[in-house]
């Protein structure tokens, strides 16, 4: 069983930065795909970024490429999302998730394949 707890969400001005953390109770293995997703009211949950260390691969949504960076600290059993140059459209509830099977063999953003989810942390970006 893997329990994920997000933190780091806050209200910031456009152009600012935040770092989200996802602490895992239980081990994060290199063969998991670990991802960050976000959701706003009335919209479907969308992938933001993912990392699959065993395959040495990462995934970023086009909307965040060059601004967000996903990373994993095994010593702290924690997943991070560094978010720079934030925009109002980045406002959402952010969730971390784990896919222990990784059928695709690479980091991916397929929400249906992630079986462990955190409760979310809220990010608000004002213009």
């Amino acid at each position: 069983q893997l329990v994920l707890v997000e933190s780091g969400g806050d209200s910031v001005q456009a152009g600012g930065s935040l770092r989200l953390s996802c602490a895992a109770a239980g081990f994060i293995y290199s063969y998991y795909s670990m991802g960050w997703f976000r959701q706003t009211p009335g919209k479907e949950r969308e992938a933001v970024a993912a990392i699959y260390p065993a395959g040495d691969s990462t995934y970023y949504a086009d909307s965040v490429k060059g601004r967000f960076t996903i990373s994993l600290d095994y010593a702290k059993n924690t997943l991070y999302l560094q978010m720079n140059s934030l925009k109002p459209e980045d406002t959402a509830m952010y969730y971390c998730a784990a896919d222990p099977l990784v059928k695709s063999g690479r980091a991916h953003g397929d929400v249906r394949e992630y079986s462990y989810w955190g409760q979310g942390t809220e990010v608000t970006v004002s213009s």
Side-chain angles (χ1 to χ4, degrees):
Q1 185 71 14
L2 186 64
V3 177
L4 304 172
V5 180
E6 303 93 335
S7 62
D10 205 346
S11 296
V12 297
Q13 295 279 340
S17 297
L18 282 175
R19 188 177 78 159
L20 305 184
S21 299
C22 172
F27 291 107
I28 297 177
Y29 295 101
S30 64
Y31 53 84
Y32 286 9
S33 177
M34 300 295 299
W36 285 99
F37 296 79
R38 66 187 181 188
Q39 189 171 22
T40 55
K43 292 189 176 182
E44 293 186 356
R45 193 168 296 188
E46 64 173 4
V48 176
I51 186 167
Y52 178 46
D56 193 25
S57 71
T58 55
Y59 161 88
Y60 290 97
D62 288 342
S63 58
V64 307
K65 282 180 182 176
R67 300 189 298 123
F68 290 10
T69 303
I70 189 170
S71 62
L72 193 56
D73 186 333
Y74 287 109
K76 296 182 178 180
N77 232 23
T78 300
L79 178 74
Y80 298 101
L81 183 68
Q82 178 66 43
M83 305 188 296
N84 299 327
S85 303
L86 283 161
K87 304 176 181 180
E89 50 264 43
D90 295 318
T91 295
M93 185 70 78
Y94 283 73
Y95 301 88
C96 68
D99 171 13
L101 299 179
V102 198
K103 297 176 184 176
S104 64
R106 55 181 171 80
H108 67 91
D110 188 341
V111 175
R112 301 166 298 178
E113 297 295 322
Y114 285 82
S115 52
Y116 296 102
W117 291 87
Q119 293 301 306
T121 186
E122 191 163 8
V123 172
T124 302
V125 184
S126 57
S127 57

